[in-house]
Amino acid sequence: MRLKDVILSGFSLLLSMAVASCGEDKTPVIDNGWNSGTLTVKEEVLLAGSTSQSLNIKASVRPTLTSDAQWLKIGEVKSLTTGIYSVELTAEVNATGETRTAKVTVTAGKESAIVTVTQHSGDVVEIRSVDPEGELDPDGGTLTIKYASTGVPATNLPEWIKETGTRSLDEGVLSLTYSPNNSGKEREGIIVLAVGKDAVANVTVRQGARTVAALNGKSAVEIAADMYAGINIGNTMECPGGEGDWSMPVNETYVAALANMGFNAVRIPCAWDAHAKDGVIDSAWLDRVDEVVGWVISNGMYALLNTHWDSGWIEGDPCKKGFDEAVNAKFGSYWTQIANKLNHYDQRLLFSAMNEPPVDETSKATKEKGIDAIMKYEQTMLDAVRATGGNNLDRVLVMSVPNTNIEIAAEGYFHMPADVVEDRLMVEAHFYSPYNFNMMTEDASWGKVAWYWGKENHVAGSDRNSTWGEEDYVKDQMQLMKTHFVDKGYPTVLGEYCVCEDRSNLPGVDKEKHHASQLHWNRVVTREAKNAGCVPFFWETGGDINRRDGSINRTYQLDGLFLGASEGKYPF
C-alpha cells in the first residue's frame, strides 16, 4: 500500500519535525504539531524504484515544492481538507540501480522545510530509533519506534505489545504500549515491520520481570487464620445444565443467612466450559458469577471460586492420560477471562485452580503421569491470573492435590507451582472418610454400610458400627497435611467434607445415635482440620440449609461443625 492510500482522517498523533540545513542556508527548525497552524511535513521519504509516494503537508497556505534533482518529479499540490495538502513524488527509472538522494524544499508563506528523498531499487524499511533504548520497564509503558520505509509497513507484534490507535501523518513513527511483566522471568519479543515481500526490519526488545517489593494484601497464612468456618454452595453454579439444575439457584437472602449463622467463608464451585462458545465465556454468565461473589463479599465473608468438574473437559482424561496442550491453552484462556472480570475484588476473593483433578492409580508410572499434568495445568492457571495484574498480582490462589486425596499429596511427588510473589498460595484437599459411613449406599462383599461413628455412639451388638476411620484416623490424616504443606508455609483448604448419606429413615436405625454420629464426625473433622492448619469448608447442597430463605432444615451436621470450629485452633 502506498502512502497516498492512507486515510488522513484516521491519523491522530502529533509530530515534531526538524528541518535540515542546506549549505549556507539557515532554514528555521519547525517543531510544531498538526494543530499548531505552522508548516509540518515529514523529514524523509523513501521511494522503491519508480513507484510514487504521497507527501502530506500541513500548512496555513498552499505550499510550493522544488527539488535539487532532475530525476525526481513533483506532482500537483492537491488540497485534501482545510490546511492539509498532498503531492505525489515520483522518481525516474535509475538505470544504475544504485541508491540516490534528492532534497525537496517545501515553502509555505515565510516557513520552509527540507525533505530528504531517497530512491532505492526496491522496497525498503529501516529503523531510525527506538525509545526507550535498552530494557523495557517491568511495570509496563510506552515504546516509540521511528522508521523510514518505501510504503506503509505491516507489523507483527508479541502478544504483550499493542499498537496505540492510528499511526502518525508522516508514517514514520510506530507508537506502542507494553503490559507489565508478571511472569516472574525476563521475556523477549521481536517487533517486525515489513513492506512488500522482501523488505523487513526487526526490533528485539527485552523486559525484566516485575518485582513486588511491598504488597498491601495479607499473606495466605493471615487469610487462613481469619477464616473461622467455611461452607460450599454445592450443586448450584457448577451444574453444566445451568445454575441450580441439581438443586436451586442461589439468592442474596440465602447468602446473608450463611453469614448470620457464623460462616465467614464461602466456596463457590463453578462451571465455565458449559457457558462458553469457541473458547469465550458468556458475558452474562461472568456477570452472574460476579453478582454472587459480590453478595458473599458484601456480607463480610471470603469467597473461594474454582473451576469445578464441568463435565470433565479438564478433570478427566486430560489429567488421567497426561498433559494436553490444547486443553492447557483453553484452561489458561478461561482463567484469564475469569481473572480480568473479577479483578476489581480485593483479597477477600480467592481463586482455586481445579476441584478434584483425577489420576490413574493403576501404577506408579500412570499416577505420576497424571500428577505431572495436574502440576502443569495449575502452573498455567497461576501464570494466567498473575499476568492480569491489579488485585490478581497478589491474590491468594489455591492448588488442588491429585484426587484431592490427602495420602497421595503426602507421598511427596506433587509440588506447588512457582509463583512470582511469596506467601500467596494455599493447598486444597477433600475428606469423606470412612467411606462406609459417609458415602456408601449399600452393603458390599467387603463390608457393610456404617450407621454409627465414634466410640461413644456405637450401638452394642450392632453390625452397623464403624470399624475403621474414627477419631484417631481423622487426626492422623489432617496432620499429614500439616507436615507436608502447612509446616512449609502453605495453609490447606479442606474444600469439601460432610456425611453425604443420611440413613435416619432406614428400618432398624437408631435415629438418635445416627444423628449423634453425624454431629460428632463433623465436630471432629472440623476441629482437627483447624488444629492442623486446614480451613474447613462444609459441603452443603440444600439439604441442611433451605436455599430460598436460609433457614436450617437439619441441625445435627451444622451443630457439630460449629462446635468443631470453636474448639479448633490454627497452628499459625
Side-chain angles (χ1 to χ4, degrees):
M1 178 166 54
R2 298 185 300 176
L3 284 176
K4 71 176 182 179
D5 298 320
V6 177
I7 302 174
L8 293 176
S9 60
F11 299 148
S12 61
L13 298 181
L14 307 181
L15 299 176
S16 298
M17 307 303 300
V19 179
S21 297
C22 182
E24 295 299 317
D25 180 25
K26 301 298 184 182
T27 307
V29 175
I30 306 302
D31 190 17
N32 296 286
W34 281 89
N35 294 323
S36 65
T38 55
L39 176 64
T40 305
V41 66
K42 67 193 303 183
E43 297 176 322
E44 186 177 14
V45 173
L46 303 186
L47 299 178
S50 58
T51 301
S52 62
Q53 276 214 53
S54 293
L55 178 65
N56 301 309
I57 306 164
K58 182 181 185 298
S60 56
V61 297
R62 181 180 293 272
T64 59
L65 290 84
T66 58
S67 171
D68 67 355
Q70 293 184 352
W71 54 265
L72 181 63
K73 306 302 179 183
I74 299 174
E76 178 187 357
V77 177
K78 298 180 181 180
S79 177
L80 300 178
T81 186
T82 303
I84 304 292
Y85 302 90
S86 180
V87 60
E88 292 288 310
L89 301 180
T90 309
E92 295 177 349
V93 174
N94 185 357
T96 66
E98 297 180 354
T99 300
R100 56 186 178 181
T101 300
K103 299 290 185 181
V104 174
T105 302
V106 181
T107 304
K110 295 181 180 180
E111 298 178 294
S112 63
I114 300 295
V115 179
T116 301
V117 180
T118 303
Q119 183 191 30
H120 296 268
S121 59
D123 281 318
V124 172
V125 56
E126 299 174 351
I127 304 300
R128 294 292 186 252
S129 66
V130 179
D131 184 27
E133 295 182 346
E135 192 166 277
L136 301 179
D137 189 338
D139 291 326
T142 60
L143 174 66
T144 301
I145 299 174
K146 291 187 178 181
Y147 63 89
S149 63
T150 54
V152 180
T155 58
N156 187 355
L157 307 173
E159 63 178 2
W160 50 277
I161 299 178
K162 306 295 181 185
E163 191 168 349
T164 59
T166 54
R167 298 189 193 176
S168 61
L169 184 64
D170 76 352
E171 286 298 321
V173 177
L174 183 63
S175 297
L176 307 164
T177 60
Y178 56 95
S179 61
N181 183 3
N182 298 320
S183 68
K185 55 188 176 183
E186 183 183 75
R187 62 185 176 186
E188 180 178 288
I190 299 176
I191 300 168
V192 180
L193 285 74
V195 177
K197 295 181 179 180
D198 302 318
V200 177
N202 295 337
V203 177
T204 300
V205 291
R206 293 179 178 83
Q207 183 186 31
R210 189 180 188 192
T211 58
V212 184
L215 297 172
N216 294 322
K218 295 179 179 179
S219 69
V221 168
E222 290 171 323
I223 287 178
D226 199 31
M227 291 182 175
Y228 179 71
I231 189 169
N232 281 266
I233 304 178
N235 286 3
T236 307
M237 307 292 286
E238 78 271 32
C239 302
E243 180 186 347
D245 194 43
W246 298 334
S247 56
M248 284 187 63
V250 63
N251 61 64
E252 191 170 8
T253 300
Y254 165 81
V255 172
L258 298 179
N260 291 332
M261 288 176 203
F263 293 105
N264 75 336
V266 177
R267 183 172 181 260
I268 307 171
C270 199
W272 301 101
D273 195 56
H275 300 277
K277 183 177 181 181
D278 298 327
V280 178
I281 302 170
D282 180 30
S283 60
W285 181 244
L286 285 168
D287 289 341
R288 174 57 176 162
V289 175
D290 191 355
E291 180 179 45
V292 174
V293 169
W295 290 341
V296 172
I297 292 176
S298 65
N299 277 279
M301 298 182 286
Y302 287 93
L304 173 60
L305 180 72
N306 76 351
T307 51
H308 215 69
W309 173 68
D310 209 3
S311 298
W313 73 271
I314 186 168
E315 291 190 1
D317 285 347
C319 289
K320 284 187 174 182
K321 295 184 178 180
F323 181 75
D324 185 310
E325 186 59 58
V327 169
N328 186 59
K330 185 163 77 167
F331 191 53
S333 174
Y334 282 171
W335 270 112
T336 297
Q337 295 171 62
I338 297 164
N340 279 325
K341 177 66 177 180
L342 302 175
N343 205 343
H344 59 98
Y345 290 109
D346 64 15
Q347 282 196 311
R348 297 194 74 86
L349 171 63
L350 294 77
F351 291 146
S352 180
M354 305 176 82
N355 173 49
E356 294 178 345
V359 291
D360 181 352
E361 297 183 59
T362 303
S363 67
K364 182 175 182 290
T366 58
K367 181 191 292 186
E368 291 184 354
K369 184 176 183 179
I371 294 174
D372 284 335
I374 292 166
M375 291 190 295
K376 289 178 181 178
Y377 293 140
E378 292 186 331
Q379 183 70 62
T380 293
M381 177 268 190
L382 183 150
D383 292 341
V385 173
R386 293 287 184 246
T388 61
N391 288 325
N392 293 326
L393 182 57
D394 66 340
R395 189 178 305 287
V396 170
L397 306 180
V398 183
M399 303 297 154
S400 294
V401 300
N403 279 356
T404 52
N405 182 284
I406 292 173
E407 292 180 352
I408 292 178
E411 290 173 357
Y413 187 78
F414 174 83
H415 62 77
M416 298 293 282
D419 201 354
V420 296
V421 294
E422 294 182 356
D423 305 324
R424 295 300 188 273
L425 295 180
M426 292 186 185
V427 186
E428 181 172 345
H430 296 173
F431 189 75
Y432 290 107
S433 294
Y435 174 76
N436 311 58
F437 176 67
N438 284 75
M439 305 180 76
M440 193 171 177
T441 57
E442 59 183 20
D443 294 341
S445 59
W446 53 265
K448 291 188 174 184
V449 174
W451 297 345
Y452 313 113
W453 188 92
K455 297 173 183 178
E456 295 182 358
N457 298 313
H458 286 190
V459 174
S462 175
D463 60 355
R464 297 297 178 176
N465 296 319
S466 292
T467 57
W468 72 283
E470 296 198 295
E471 291 92 339
D472 289 344
Y473 173 79
V474 172
K475 182 176 181 179
D476 289 345
Q477 287 286 293
M478 299 305 157
Q479 287 298 313
L480 280 176
M481 292 300 288
K482 181 177 184 298
T483 299
H484 288 275
F485 293 105
V486 179
D487 290 347
K488 297 175 182 178
Y490 299 112
T492 297
V493 168
L494 192 65
E496 296 180 14
Y497 72 103
C498 75
V499 181
C500 297
E501 292 297 322
D502 187 277
R503 288 98 177 189
S504 299
N505 298 318
L506 291 179
V509 68
D510 185 325
K511 186 177 293 187
E512 182 178 343
K513 284 291 188 180
H514 181 54
H515 290 174
S517 296
Q518 293 185 59
L519 185 153
H520 187 55
W521 186 90
N522 280 284
R523 179 180 186 176
V524 172
V525 173
T526 306
R527 181 186 68 224
E528 296 304 327
K530 292 188 72 172
N531 286 342
C534 305
V535 180
F537 281 82
F538 178 71
W539 180 254
E540 206 283 318
T541 60
D544 297 290
I545 303 173
N546 189 301
R547 285 293 172 83
R548 290 185 176 87
D549 58 11
S551 59
I552 297 176
N553 298 331
R554 298 183 302 211
T555 61
Y556 37 90
Q557 292 223 55
L558 298 179
D559 286 346
L561 183 158
F562 283 114
L563 276 171
S566 66
E567 295 167 348
K569 305 298 179 186
Y570 292 123
F572 36 69

